[in-house]
Amino acid sequence: MTADTSTPMEGAPLIKPSSTSHEMYDTVVEACRSVFDPEIPVNIYDLGLIYTIEISDENDVDVIMSLTAPGCPVAGEMPGWIAEAIEPLPGIKTVSVELVWEPPWGMEMMSDEARLELGFM
């Protein structure tokens, strides 16, 4: 009997961890905070749309993100906006942005700042 590898193992994180200890991490986060959802007056990082920021030792950046809804009118554009915000940073080699729908975005993913801004706190 072979193991089913299509579903994550129990206890495995749904969202891949970010490279929070990388020296460029905070700079990349700030670049992500410069991109706003056109329908919501909050940046996409604080909205919780950036799931993972992975930075290699060579400063290649891989971003995994989602949107508030699959029918979002800027679904095709927002990953490019993120790449355009990160690519000019000094020392960054390449940027790849992947759009995912699992796990689905939920309001619980917003930062406290975003909740306050939108009147949810």
Side-chain angles (χ1 to χ4, degrees), residues 10-83:
E10 189 172 331
L14 292 176
I15 297 174
K16 188 176 186 179
S18 292
S19 304
T20 56
S21 62
H22 192 284
E23 63 182 17
M24 296 288 298
Y25 180 77
D26 291 336
T27 306
V28 172
V29 167
E30 285 310 308
C32 291
R33 282 193 166 120
S34 72
V35 178
F36 284 74
D37 184 309
E39 296 179 329
I40 305 171
V42 175
N43 71 73
I44 64 163
Y45 185 84
D46 288 330
L47 273 177
L49 296 177
I50 301 294
Y51 286 180
T52 304
I53 298 171
E54 190 172 22
I55 309 169
S56 74
D57 292 340
E58 293 78 34
N59 292 345
D60 294 303
V61 179
D62 291 318
V63 176
I64 300 173
M65 67 172 293
S66 192
L67 299 174
T68 55
C72 178
V74 294
E77 298 173 51
M78 202 174 290
W81 298 346
I82 293 295

